[in-house]
Structures are given as structure tokens and as C-alpha cells.
Amino acid sequence: MFQALIAEDSKPILRNLKALLQTSGLPIQVAAVATNGEEALEICHHNAIDILITDIRMPKMDGLTLIDQAKKINAKLKVVLISGYNDFEYTRKAINLQVCDYLLKPVERSQMMEVMERVVIQLIEEHHTESSVFDGIMDQSASRLMKLEPVFFEQSKLLWVVRKQIFTPLSDHWDSGIIKMRLTEAFEGHPFWLFPTQDPLQLLILTMLLSLRATITI
């Protein structure tokens, strides 16, 4: 499910856009809404947003400035610009900010569906490309559901393999949820990624830590 943020200062239009997305049947969840650019940017700082739908003219921070700043947080962010017929010059400038598409006011359902379907296709294609590095390693069902956040690509990774010993008895401790909890304690707030592999007795861990100072007991 892809996470969307709608930034629009007109509350009726905001409600309409949210309702259109929620009833679209597309794999998009409205994670948050904002009525000005500064509020929207703050949401981008604290949430993993895949799609930004923003008006051009907003108080405190206009849509183009918001797009520029939001893409510094997440370069892979997909942006759909909302504009009126009188905002064509702004729309032209938005092309330089790598805006995916635009919606003209008043936004109609057919128009919204056409644009958002294209955005979803782009996201799915990118996701498939990113996750293909795990082909032949990860469990295929988990690979299809995997979603890598932008922070994953920021640095090189250390790879760890956790494997259940063959002759040890079965235990509730060999559970991905419990293991993830132990790793969270061990890595002390540093990011890590835990993936199931094709071997049910083996898990793959990727971390940006240079060293592991804690002992993990599972």
C-alpha cells in the first residue's frame, strides 16, 4: 500500500480529493492531509510518503517550494500538482522539479483515476527493480510485499545471516517478531532490515552499523 499526502488549503477540495482516493480501489492510502505547505513539509519529515498531491497556491509555503524541499527528503517521491487554468506558468516550472503529472481544477473522478493509475504503475515498476536484487534469496511472497524506504539506499550495508541450528528443538523464540524486537534492542535505534529467505530456518539482516556492540540472545 502506497502512502499519499494531500496538501490543499481549500477544505472542500481537500475533502473531495481524499474521498476520490479512498474510493479509487488503487493501492493508495491517504496517510495525511495538510492545509499549507509548511505543515505538509513537516509531515514529509516524519512520515514515509510515496505520493505528494499538492496545490500550487497555498499559504506559508507554495506548492513549488514544497515539492523542491520534499524531494530533498525523498528523491523518489512521486508528485501530482493541482493547478487552475491560470497557473500554466507555474505548471511549466514544475516540470523542472520532476512532477509526475498534474490535475486541473475542478478535479473530476475520471481525471484523478487516470493520473493516479499512472503514478501507481511507476511506483510498482520501481519497487520491482529495487527488490530484484533479492531474487533467489528472499522468500518470493515476502519479496512481493516488501517496500524499501529511501533511507535503505543511503549507505552501504553489512549483511548478517541468522540461522536456526539444525539439531536445536523448535521454539517460539524462532519468530520474526521476537527476533526483530531483540535486534531493535541490540542496534539501539540504528536502522536495520530483516528479511525472510527461501530457507525457513534462515533470516537475512542488513544494517548500516559498522560494528555490533550488543549481544543478541534469541
Side-chain angles (χ1 to χ4, degrees):
M1 188 71 71
F2 300 111
Q3 303 299 305
L5 165 61
I6 306 173
E8 167 62 63
D9 62 317
S10 169
K11 291 185 178 179
I13 295 176
L14 181 61
R15 286 194 297 268
N16 180 53
L17 292 171
K18 184 177 180 180
L20 288 175
L21 274 183
Q22 290 176 328
T23 59
S24 67
L26 295 171
I28 300 174
Q29 178 179 350
V30 180
V33 297
T35 56
N36 64 72
E38 287 186 358
E39 181 185 0
L41 185 61
E42 187 68 17
I43 292 170
C44 290
H45 274 293
H46 296 96
N47 298 271
I49 301 297
D50 302 298
I51 306 167
L52 170 62
I53 303 171
T54 180
D55 192 5
I56 288 179
R57 300 176 185 270
M58 288 188 297
K60 298 187 179 181
M61 180 185 293
D62 64 78
L64 297 183
T65 304
L66 169 61
I67 294 167
D68 180 56
Q69 295 299 311
K71 278 189 167 287
K72 291 178 181 178
I73 299 170
N74 177 10
K76 297 178 179 293
L77 183 69
K78 302 302 176 190
V79 179
V80 175
L81 194 65
I82 306 170
S83 66
Y85 287 101
N86 296 329
D87 292 326
F88 180 76
E89 180 62 21
Y90 290 100
T91 306
R92 185 184 65 80
K93 290 179 181 179
I95 295 174
N96 295 328
L97 297 174
Q98 297 181 325
V99 170
C100 291
D101 219 319
Y102 66 94
L103 295 165
L104 286 175
K105 296 180 181 179
V107 178
E108 299 179 356
R109 182 178 181 82
S110 58
Q111 180 190 10
M112 170 72 101
M113 290 294 293
E114 182 180 346
V115 167
M116 298 314 296
E117 283 175 358
R118 287 198 291 266
V119 172
V120 167
I121 289 172
Q122 289 182 40
L123 286 166
I124 291 174
E125 288 176 348
E126 288 181 6
H127 170 74
H128 176 73
T129 301
E130 292 168 356
S131 61
S132 63
V133 68
F134 296 103
D135 288 350
I137 301 173
M138 281 185 61
D139 176 78
Q140 290 185 358
S141 60
S143 179
R144 285 193 295 268
L145 297 173
M146 183 179 65
K147 179 181 174 183
L148 299 176
E149 306 297 346
V151 68
F152 180 86
F153 302 95
E154 289 179 358
Q155 298 179 21
S156 299
K157 307 292 182 298
L158 285 178
L159 184 148
W160 310 75
V161 176
V162 177
R163 182 172 180 81
K164 186 179 183 299
Q165 295 299 312
I166 297 175
F167 298 108
T168 56
L170 292 175
S171 169
D172 292 338
H173 288 182
W174 188 254
D175 175 85
S176 60
I178 293 176
I179 294 173
K180 187 172 183 178
M181 181 176 64
R182 297 285 188 267
L183 290 171
T184 301
E185 296 171 355
F187 292 135
E188 298 179 342
H190 294 277
F192 69 88
W193 293 265
L194 177 66
F195 303 119
T197 68
Q198 294 181 354
D199 184 342
L201 300 181
Q202 182 172 285
L203 295 169
L204 180 68
I205 304 167
L206 295 178
T207 175
M208 291 189 290
L209 283 179
L210 295 179
S211 62
L212 183 62
R213 298 180 179 178
T215 300
I216 305 173
T217 303
I218 299 174

